Amino acid sequence: MRILVIDEDNERSRVLAEALQAAGYDIVASISKDDDVRREVARFQPDMVIVDLESPYRDFVEDLIRIHEENPRPIAMFVSRDDPAVVARAIETGVSVYVAEGLDGGLVRSVLQIAVKQYREFARLNDELEKARSALRERKLLERAKGLLMTNKGLSEDEAYRLLRKMAMDQNKRIADIAENILSLADLLK
């Protein structure tokens, strides 16, 4: 696993690097919190980002939001001082694991495994949610197109559905695409 480390303390960075290398991880870069974090994530394309800070500040957490939106990946945060507001905001932004007791080399491997699992579960749930939303959008299109055919052609609901299905098969398209085309055409003819 390729890891980008964001750190503000050379000693902690050394401890972290040793723990990561001992666990078999590849550190692609170690950067400062003052570097352009978003640019560096885009440049190195790590599999995971590890943040090790004394106390994260709001602007940095906002950068993490943009990283999560632009280049989603697991993010693990190790901090020395706990701030409940920052913890809540960090978790909202997509940080997979937030460890507020500082850095302990012995915990690194298990924390990273948890972060990856949390991230994968979050990504899976987001995919399921998007599929459900897409299916609902398609269902609404289909229902509207059936309603239009029923009204304008005097068809029953089953007949309207069969007509849409036949058109989709004849044109080798998805039924939702046919429904969308019918609705677009109807809007043009109004």
Side-chain angles (χ1 to χ4, degrees):
M1 179 175 285
R2 298 167 27 89
I3 296 177
L4 174 71
V5 177
I6 303 167
D7 205 331
E8 66 182 349
D9 181 286
N10 287 336
E11 178 57 27
R12 282 197 327 242
S13 185
R14 185 189 59 73
V15 170
L16 179 60
E18 288 173 3
L20 291 171
Q21 288 168 343
Y25 295 103
D26 178 26
I27 300 173
V28 294
S30 185
I31 65 172
S32 163
K33 66 179 175 51
D34 299 322
D35 290 335
D36 185 342
V37 176
R38 290 171 51 210
R39 186 188 73 217
E40 297 302 318
V41 168
R43 178 175 151 209
F44 289 106
Q45 291 296 312
D47 299 315
M48 173 181 255
V49 175
I50 296 179
V51 179
D52 183 24
L53 300 175
E54 190 72 26
S55 179
Y57 51 92
R58 292 194 190 283
D59 288 345
F60 184 80
V61 174
E62 296 301 318
D63 276 348
L64 292 179
I65 292 171
R66 287 193 227 46
I67 288 169
H68 186 68
E69 291 170 350
E70 296 167 1
N71 288 297
R73 63 198 14 88
I75 299 173
M77 285 187 80
F78 294 90
V79 298
S80 297
R81 286 186 294 222
D82 192 12
D83 178 348
V86 174
V87 172
R89 188 67 178 136
I91 299 301
E92 288 173 13
T93 66
V95 170
S96 303
V97 175
Y98 189 101
V99 180
E101 295 300 319
L103 182 63
D104 177 354
L107 292 175
V108 170
R109 185 179 188 138
S110 60
V111 167
L112 296 186
Q113 288 173 343
I114 290 169
V116 169
K117 286 179 183 176
Q118 287 283 93
Y119 173 78
R120 287 181 180 153
E121 180 64 13
F122 181 76
R124 184 187 66 77
L125 290 173
N126 271 344
D127 286 346
E128 283 182 22
L129 179 60
E130 187 51 42
K131 286 177 185 174
R133 285 179 177 157
S134 179
L136 181 60
R137 280 191 299 271
E138 289 180 2
R139 184 71 186 167
K140 285 180 180 179
L141 283 173
L142 183 59
E143 292 300 319
R144 287 179 51 216
K146 281 192 319 187
L148 191 65
L149 290 172
M150 290 165 55
T151 301
N152 292 324
K153 290 197 155 276
L155 301 175
S156 70
E157 185 174 357
D158 285 343
E159 291 170 329
Y161 179 76
R162 281 196 298 271
L163 179 61
L164 286 168
R165 191 178 66 198
K166 182 178 180 340
M167 291 171 70
M169 286 189 286
D170 289 348
Q171 296 177 32
N172 198 24
K173 291 185 177 181
R174 294 176 37 244
I175 196 167
D177 294 336
I178 297 298
E180 188 172 26
N181 290 343
I182 287 173
L183 292 171
S184 294
L185 186 59
D187 285 343
L188 284 175
L189 297 176
K190 283 185 180 179

